[in-house]
Amino acid sequence: MRLTPVIAISLISLAACGERADVAAPSPTEQVAAQAPSSDGVTAAPVVLNADQLRQVCRAALAAVHGQDLSAVQVEGLTGQVVSLSWRAPVDGGVSRAECRVEGDVVTWRLTNTANPDQGRWMNQSGDPVTRFALGGEAVAITTTLPDGTTATEQYAVAAEQEAR
């Protein structure tokens, strides 16, 4: 059988349409980071948080991520859209410090008083846990999704007057 140029081009085109075997499927963290879950029970995150909301969200997120009580996490300052926070380290009694920022409904953070450069980077890379927030009245819900796809949600009551600084 002789292939005409039209048939040859058609076969090559069809072969190119198949799935690529060398492209890995997205990890659970990448899937979560790419698509925000919707909920009827919680108000969607505003596009831009005011300063009080930003401080509330960052306090709650860092408390959830680091297993602290909300009262242990203190806001040290706000520079632009980056919140500086601190809390007592439970192991040695020292002070842990971090910075936090919000992009959409995703909270990213980094430790600022660490000698290890890997621990001082923003936690927003593939393979890092994804931390999302939702505001509902005087409460902040923080949902953390680990790289294996498991999630944990913490709810914090945060009144606006607690954050007025």
Side-chain angles (χ1 to χ4, degrees):
M1 177 174 127
R2 183 170 173 236
L3 290 178
T4 65
V6 173
I7 293 174
I9 292 172
S10 297
L11 289 174
I12 292 170
S13 296
L14 287 174
C17 291
E19 286 189 34
R20 291 182 53 174
D22 62 338
V23 177
S27 70
T29 301
E30 291 167 332
Q31 290 172 346
V32 168
Q35 184 176 26
S38 60
S39 172
D40 294 336
V42 180
T43 305
V47 174
V48 178
L49 298 176
N50 66 38
D52 287 339
Q53 291 170 324
L54 183 59
R55 287 191 288 263
Q56 291 172 351
V57 167
C58 283
R59 268 186 79 210
L62 273 284
V65 166
H66 294 285
Q68 300 293 314
D69 288 330
L70 186 63
S71 62
V73 179
Q74 302 301 314
V75 173
E76 299 291 325
L78 176 66
T79 305
Q81 294 296 307
V82 177
V83 179
S84 298
L85 305 115
S86 67
W87 62 96
R88 299 284 282 160
V91 175
D92 62 6
V95 176
S96 292
R97 297 187 190 286
E99 290 180 333
C100 168
R101 63 184 181 203
V102 173
E103 299 164 359
D105 68 339
V106 176
V107 179
T108 57
W109 58 275
R110 69 182 183 136
L111 294 174
T112 57
N113 63 336
T114 178
N116 183 345
D118 289 338
Q119 292 178 336
R121 67 174 176 78
W122 287 103
M123 300 300 289
N124 62 354
Q125 297 177 7
S126 176
D128 289 340
V130 176
T131 304
R132 293 189 185 282
F133 76 94
L135 293 172
E138 292 185 354
V140 178
I142 303 295
T143 301
T144 303
T145 304
L146 300 177
D148 67 1
T150 59
T151 63
T153 301
E154 298 288 333
Q155 186 89 9
Y156 297 94
V158 183
E161 59 270 7
Q162 288 178 309
E163 294 300 323
R165 292 186 180 199

